[in-house]
Amino acid sequence: MIQIERLTLREIRLPLKEPFEISSGTVTDRRIFLLQLRDVNGVTGWGECVAGEAPNYSAETVETAWLAIREWIAPRVLGRTFHHPREIFPVLEENFRGHNMAKAAVEMGAWELAAQIQACRAQGYRKIKVKIKPGADVAFVAAVREALGPEAPMMVDANNAFSLNDIDLLKKLDAFDLIMIEQPLAWDDIVRHAALQKQLKTPICLDESITGLDKAEDMLALGSGRIINIKPGRVGGFTASIAIHDFCAKNGIPVWCGGMLESGIGRAHNVALASLPNFVLPGDLSPSSRYWERDIVTPEWTMDAEGMVTVPLDKPGMGVTVNLDRVDELTVRCEAIAATRSK
């Protein structure tokens, strides 16, 4: 049983070790929106909103998510009794469109309050992910393939950078024995991806296009792709992620868990999700040191030499401890919202 008494919203600034570039821009200093949940017994859990500072990956931003949580999400969950975290998602969906990243931050934090969420230790990689865009495409992939050799497991991620006008160029990627081509076309497209997949031997993986179970169903019906990247922060949290996972497992669609430059808190949520059985492809569960000089959790996330992440089942919550001194040091804005009455 969960009764959330207080939500504390925090924005921190966490510098990347090196610039992170995708087709829509470059990030050097990450604005991260954290959410601390406290129940009536004083137990705390953490969520992370994966929205960016600008509406380039999605329409949501740190600012819109902050507003959505304060004005519309907090009043729906504070002081209300939930018997299981699964009950939160329907409450946030009722007459409340969009804002999945804001919803996910609260919903996933609630799962941490209620359950023994899995985490990991280790250090190593099981796939190579190459970001591509017009002008850095076929020749770029060819150079990487030559450098790594024919056996290296490799995929490319286009982050919506191409259109069907580029179909001849994209067909050339079939020559490189890629695991997948992730989200080559528009973020909200299902139909054109189906036309493209018919022309490619390489599986298309949909990322941004999968905003919920209905879009996964559409992908299967239309043949828009053969793999799905489930990012819990993108689809609205664990309840929606599990529904997509179960649908894909039933229909033979492999899934994997993508990353969005999360801190160790968001990473813990991804690790928990990726422990489900149909996450059969290597995910973006990078160790803390991949992006951060110093993370905000203890122990920091690692992987073993085989690229495997161990889920510690002997710890409640995320399996890692939030370093509150580190969070306080990085916090540039903070707002607490308390329950006013029981629901």
Side-chain angles (χ1 to χ4, degrees):
M1 187 174 296
I2 309 164
Q3 189 174 3
I4 303 171
E5 178 189 57
R6 179 182 295 267
L7 298 175
T8 300
L9 290 58
R10 290 177 181 263
E11 179 187 338
I12 68 173
R13 303 291 175 92
L14 202 56
L16 289 156
K17 291 176 68 174
E18 58 187 39
F20 181 82
E21 182 176 357
I22 63 173
S23 60
S24 57
T26 301
V27 178
T28 57
D29 188 67
R30 181 79 161 102
R31 292 177 63 188
I32 294 179
F33 180 5
L34 300 179
L35 190 69
Q36 187 178 25
L37 298 82
R38 189 177 75 184
D39 77 355
V40 292
N41 298 311
V43 177
T44 60
W46 290 82
E48 177 170 339
C49 180
V50 299
E53 43 262 64
N56 50 5
Y57 175 83
S58 84
E60 288 186 77
T61 67
V62 171
E63 301 299 335
T64 64
W66 193 290
L67 176 67
I69 290 174
R70 184 181 66 216
E71 297 296 325
W72 303 304
I73 295 176
R76 290 174 180 237
V77 300
L78 286 173
R80 187 169 188 157
T81 299
F82 297 96
H83 293 90
H84 191 280
R86 291 191 187 94
E87 297 175 4
I88 293 176
F89 184 71
V91 169
L92 297 182
E93 285 289 281
E94 186 178 355
N95 296 320
F96 185 6
R97 296 182 182 178
H99 299 282
N100 278 350
M101 294 178 180
K103 293 173 181 175
V106 175
E107 195 257 16
M108 290 191 289
W111 277 75
E112 187 207 331
L113 278 175
Q116 186 167 295
I117 296 177
Q118 306 153 333
C120 68
R121 304 182 64 99
Q123 186 129 33
Y125 296 91
R126 293 175 63 88
K127 79 169 186 286
I128 296 93
K129 182 173 181 176
V130 180
K131 296 285 188 177
I132 61 172
K133 60 184 179 180
D137 39 62
V138 175
F140 186 53
V141 174
V144 176
R145 172 56 81 200
E146 182 178 359
L148 296 175
E151 303 301 321
M154 192 167 92
M155 62 169 286
V156 297
D157 183 6
N159 289 113
N160 323 283
F162 298 93
S163 72
L164 284 182
N165 294 329
D166 303 304
I167 194 165
D168 290 336
L169 181 149
L170 293 170
K171 287 170 67 175
K172 294 178 181 178
L173 295 174
D174 279 338
F176 301 108
D177 193 25
L178 301 172
I179 302 170
M180 68 189 83
I181 302 171
E182 185 179 1
Q183 198 69 38
L185 306 181
W187 69 273
D188 57 350
D189 177 77
I190 298 289
V191 174
R192 290 169 184 79
H193 275 109
L196 177 60
Q197 181 67 91
K198 289 180 175 66
Q199 299 292 316
L200 298 177
K201 293 186 297 182
T202 306
I204 289 176
C205 171
L206 293 188
D207 175 6
E208 292 96 320
S209 295
I210 305 299
T211 55
L213 176 59
D214 59 337
K215 297 301 183 183
E217 293 169 339
D218 291 347
M219 186 197 85
L220 177 64
L222 296 175
S224 309
R226 301 174 193 156
I227 299 170
I228 287 179
N229 175 357
I230 303 178
K231 294 176 178 173
R234 188 192 67 238
V235 301
F238 284 137
T239 301
S241 296
I242 292 169
I244 296 169
H245 165 274
D246 292 349
F247 170 80
C248 289
K250 181 179 179 181
N251 289 280
I253 303 169
V255 301
W256 59 285
C257 184
M260 295 181 66
L261 293 181
E262 293 95 342
S263 73
I265 293 172
R267 186 73 63 203
H269 295 150
N270 288 353
V271 169
L273 180 67
S275 68
L276 294 177
N278 195 41
F279 283 86
V280 295
L281 295 173
D284 289 346
L285 303 178
S286 305
S288 298
S289 61
R290 172 66 180 86
Y291 295 112
W292 317 119
E293 292 289 355
R294 182 184 171 197
D295 208 339
I296 60 173
V297 298
T298 304
E300 295 194 1
W301 291 102
T302 59
M303 293 190 300
D304 66 20
E306 301 298 320
M308 299 299 292
V309 172
T310 301
V311 182
L313 298 177
D314 58 338
K315 298 179 180 179
M318 294 184 296
V320 291
T321 301
V322 177
N323 185 335
L324 288 174
D325 290 339
R326 174 71 169 154
V327 170
D328 285 340
E329 172 190 327
L330 295 168
T331 296
V332 297
R333 178 169 47 155
C334 183
E335 179 178 351
I337 308 172
T340 57
R341 60 185 177 87
S342 297
K343 297 182 181 178

